[in-house]
Amino acid sequence: MDSRKRAVYKSKRKKNRFLIIVILQKGQTGFEKVSGDSGVLEAGKDGVTVQKDGVFIDQNSKELKNQEVEFTYDPLNNSCNYGVVLRYTSPTDYIYVGPSAQNNQHYTKWGIYNQNGRLAEIEDSGFVLSGRDVPYKVKVRVVENVVTIFLDNEEIYNGEIGGLTTNAGKVGFRTTESTGMTIQGFTQETASAPEVVENTSEAEIAF
C-alpha cells in the first residue's frame, strides 16, 4: 500500500449488522456441508463441531462482498489447515483464512487461501493450540482486496492480497482431514470500502 495514503476501514456495526449468533448447542443452525468426502458436521451442547475434509456453509448468512466475521472456537487438536470461509458462492469460488502450520512450537502461521490454494502466509508471535481454558476469538475482515485478521482482539495481519474472489458470498468454515474445530457462535456484518486520504507519513490503518 502506498505510504503516502492512509486507508481507513470502518465497519457498519448498527444499521447493517446481521445477527447470526445462533443457538448452536441446540442444533438450530443453517450449516450445511457443501463439499468434502469425509467432512463431519455435528451440533452438540458446546457448539457446532466441524472436522475432517469439508467446507461447511451457513445458508442463513448474507451474501456480502465486503464483510467482517467474528467467532469464538476451540480447535480439536494442534493440527492446522482449518479456518473461516468468506465470499462463498460455490466450491470453486471462495476465500479461506486460518492457521496453516505450527513452527516447532515457537509460533503459529496463518494462511490466506482461495479455492485453488494458498495466496499468502503470515507468522503470528503466539500459539493456537488445543486445550486452552478460554476459547479463541477470531475476527476476519475483507474489504475489496484487503484482509485484516484479529486473534483475541489483537491485529495480527493487515494487507492487500492478490487473487481474492471479488464476488459477494456467504460465510462458513473449512477443515481438512486431520483437523477440526468447535464453534460456539459467530457474527457477520458489512464492512465499508476503504476511505483513502493523502498522507505523507507512514501508512496506518485506523478503526
Side-chain angles (χ1 to χ4, degrees), residues 14-29:
K14 294 184 179 180
K15 290 184 179 180
N16 295 321
R17 181 163 185 167
F18 304 108
L19 185 62
I20 311 178
I21 300 180
V22 293
I23 306 175
L24 297 177
Q25 65 270 26
K26 293 186 179 179
Q28 298 176 2
T29 80

Side-chain angles (χ1 to χ4, degrees), residues 86-174:
L86 305 96
R87 294 182 181 173
Y88 179 92
T89 64
S90 75
T92 59
D93 187 43
Y94 62 89
I95 301 168
Y96 150 47
V97 178
S100 57
Q102 306 287 9
N103 188 328
N104 297 323
Q105 300 300 305
H106 292 298
Y107 54 81
T108 296
K109 293 183 178 181
W110 285 67
I112 301 169
Y113 305 78
N114 65 13
Q115 68 282 351
N116 296 319
R118 190 170 64 213
L119 302 173
E121 189 171 56
I122 62 172
E123 297 176 356
D124 180 33
S125 60
F127 289 117
V128 177
L129 302 173
S130 64
R132 194 172 80 160
D133 291 338
V134 179
Y136 291 94
K137 180 180 179 182
V138 174
K139 179 166 62 178
V140 177
R141 179 184 304 136
V142 180
V143 178
E144 302 301 334
N145 65 338
V146 175
V147 177
T148 309
I149 306 170
F150 296 84
L151 176 63
D152 292 333
N153 299 316
E154 179 181 351
E155 181 183 306
I156 63 172
Y157 180 77
N158 177 273
E160 297 180 352
I161 302 294
L164 299 178
T165 178
T166 57
N167 293 324
K170 294 180 178 292
V171 300
F173 296 92
R174 172 88 170 95

